[in-house]
Amino acid sequence: MENVDILIIGQGPAGLSSAIYTARAGMRTLILGCAPKVAGDYEIDNYFGFTETITGKELIERGKAQAAKFGADIRCDRVLAIHNSETGSFIAKTEDNKIEAASVILATGVSHIRPGISNLGDYEGKGVSYCVSCDGFFMRGKPVVVIGEGNFAANQALELLQYTPEVKICSQGKELTISDEFLYRLDEHNIPVLEGKIATLAGDTGLEKLRFESGEEIDAQGLFVAMGQASSSDFAYSLGLLRNGQFIETDRDQRTNVPGVFAAGDCVGRFMQISVAVGEGALAGRAAISHVKERRRTLLDKEAN
Ligand code: FAD
C-alpha cells in the first residue's frame, strides 16, 4: 500500500489549487483524477489575470505544471472507494492502486449521471442505495443488482459478495467500460452483466422486482446505484460526511464533519466557477496541512509516552 500525507481527488481547479499549497508546504501530495470537463477548448473569459481569453485546457495544464513544480504527484487514476481506517487515516482503492492518506481533499466536481428510472426515488431507503459499505449488510443473502457500466460498478458488485452471493450488474443500456481485469473477476465470481435498461421498480413495502424496458422482470431486493465513476456523494456516504442534497457540507475553512476530510469546488455547490474552486482549494489545502501537522504531533506524543 502506498502512503501519502494528502490525497486530493480531482484534477480540476479546486484540486490543483489545493495541491499547490500542500506540495509547496512540503506535504507528500498525490492528486488523482483525469482531465476535468472544463479542460477542453472552452474559452475562459472571466478568470482573474487573463486579459486575453484562455482555454480551459491551457489553464488546467498550467495548474498541473505549477503543482508538479512544487513536487505534487499527479496521476490519471480513478478512485473506486474510500474508507476511514481505525488509526484515523483514510484508505482509497483506485483502479491501479491502494493508498493510505493522513488527510483527503475531495475536489471531484459534480456528477450529472442519473440512471433514468422513473420511480427510483420512491424506493430510496427501501432497497435503493448508493453505498455498499453502508447498506450491504441489510442485503445478507438477498438478490441484489448494481447499476453501472464501469469499474466503479464492478468494484461495488465484488464488495457485495461479502453479504450475498446473488449479485448482478446492469449497465442500464450504456456501453460497458469495465476493464478486462474486473471482467475476469466478475466472471470468476459468477456475477453476470445484464445489458438491458431498467425502466421501473416494483414492490409493496420495499423493492422486490426490477422491470426492464423489454418487459422482462427480475427479482431484486437491493439496487445499488454506481453509474460512471464514484462521485463526491459516493465518498460522502462511505466516509460519513454531512451533505446537502448532492453537495458536501463544509465550514468556512472547507472542513467537513469528519476530521481530516476537506472538500472544495463544485462538489461543495456554492458558486460553481473556477475562481471559487481555486479559492476553496487554497482553504482546503491550508486546513489539510494543519490537520497533518497536528496528527504528526499527536502520533509523536503517543510514541513518547
Ligand atoms: P472539476 O473541474 O469538475 O474537476 C473534477 C475533477 O475530479 C476531475 O479531474 C475529475 O476527473 C475528478 N474526479 C471525479 N470523480 C473522480 C474519481 N472517482 N476519482 C478520481 N478523480 C475523480 N467557470 C468559470 O469560472 N468560467 C467559465 O468560463 C466556465 N466555463 C465552463 C465551461 C464548461 C464547458 C464547463 C463544464 C464548466 C465551466 N465553468 C466555468 C465551470 C468550472 O469549470 C467549474 O466551476 C470548475 O471546473 C469546478 O472545478 P472543480 O475542481 O470543483 O471540479
Side-chain angles (χ1 to χ4, degrees):
M1 181 148 52
E2 196 176 342
N3 225 283
V4 298
D5 292 324
I6 299 176
L7 170 64
I8 300 173
I9 311 179
Q11 288 180 11
L16 292 169
S17 170
S18 297
I20 289 165
Y21 282 83
T22 58
R24 198 158 177 266
M27 297 281 148
R28 279 172 305 155
T29 301
L30 173 61
I31 322 173
L32 299 179
C34 299
K37 281 186 222 100
V38 74
D41 289 329
Y42 307 107
E43 295 188 335
I44 312 292
D45 248 351
N46 56 358
Y47 188 57
F48 172 84
F50 289 89
T51 47
E52 275 142 39
T53 302
I54 184 168
T55 63
K57 186 175 179 190
E58 191 183 347
L59 192 62
I60 294 297
E61 284 310 317
R62 285 187 186 210
K64 282 168 87 169
Q66 196 177 0
K69 180 176 98 174
F70 295 121
D73 186 354
I74 306 176
R75 295 183 211 160
C76 179
D77 188 7
R78 290 186 179 83
V79 177
L80 300 172
I82 186 158
H83 299 283
N84 313 64
S85 87
E86 280 161 12
T87 59
S89 64
F90 304 92
I91 312 288
K93 182 173 180 204
T94 76
E95 289 187 331
D96 297 338
N97 213 343
K98 209 167 178 191
I99 293 145
E100 180 171 19
S103 178
V104 173
I105 298 175
L106 299 177
T108 53
V110 275
S111 163
H112 300 285
I113 309 174
R114 301 276 178 278
I117 300 172
S118 58
N119 59 347
L120 188 82
D122 296 348
Y123 289 90
E124 281 173 354
K126 295 178 186 166
V128 169
S129 168
Y130 298 84
C131 177
V132 168
S133 48
C134 318
D135 299 328
F137 180 79
F138 302 113
M139 295 294 151
R140 289 181 316 260
K142 296 177 181 169
V144 298
V145 170
V146 176
I147 188 165
E149 76 289 10
N151 289 345
F152 173 40
N155 189 59
Q156 296 287 86
L158 290 163
E159 269 194 38
L160 274 164
L161 291 175
Q162 297 170 62
Y163 310 105
T164 174
E166 286 195 66
V167 183
K168 294 184 176 76
I169 292 179
C170 169
S171 71
Q172 196 60 353
K174 287 188 171 272
E175 195 180 323
L176 284 187
T177 56
I178 301 176
S179 66
D180 287 346
E181 191 189 328
F182 268 114
L183 283 174
Y184 177 80
R185 289 179 60 202
L186 294 177
D187 193 42
E188 207 179 29
H189 293 284
N190 295 318
I191 299 177
V193 181
L194 316 173
E195 294 192 22
K197 205 165 174 189
I198 301 164
T200 52
L201 310 181
D204 290 335
T205 50
L207 182 65
E208 289 167 19
K209 285 192 187 305
L210 312 180
R211 291 200 180 117
F212 284 78
E213 276 183 352
S214 61
E216 189 198 348
E217 279 191 357
I218 61 168
D219 291 337
Q221 283 171 266
L223 181 68
F224 289 84
V225 181
M227 310 264 309
Q229 60 184 340
S231 67
S232 53
S233 298
D234 298 306
F235 302 141
Y237 282 116
S238 59
L239 291 170
L241 307 183
L242 289 176
R243 290 177 309 131
N244 180 3
Q246 65 167 323
F247 301 116
I248 297 176
E249 294 263 10
T250 69
D251 68 8
R252 53 187 292 182
D253 291 319
Q254 306 307 129
R255 292 189 182 92
T256 69
N257 58 307
V258 172
V261 182
F262 308 87
D266 283 7
C267 67
V268 172
R270 291 191 185 117
F271 182 32
M272 297 198 203
Q273 288 284 284
I274 295 169
S275 50
V276 176
V278 167
E280 289 180 356
L283 286 168
R286 181 181 68 164
I289 294 165
S290 301
H291 176 84
V292 172
K293 286 185 175 168
E294 182 61 39
R295 184 174 152 81
R296 282 181 191 158
R297 275 194 293 273
T298 311
L299 290 174
L300 279 175
D301 285 352
K302 260 191 195 158
E303 267 174 34
N305 292 320

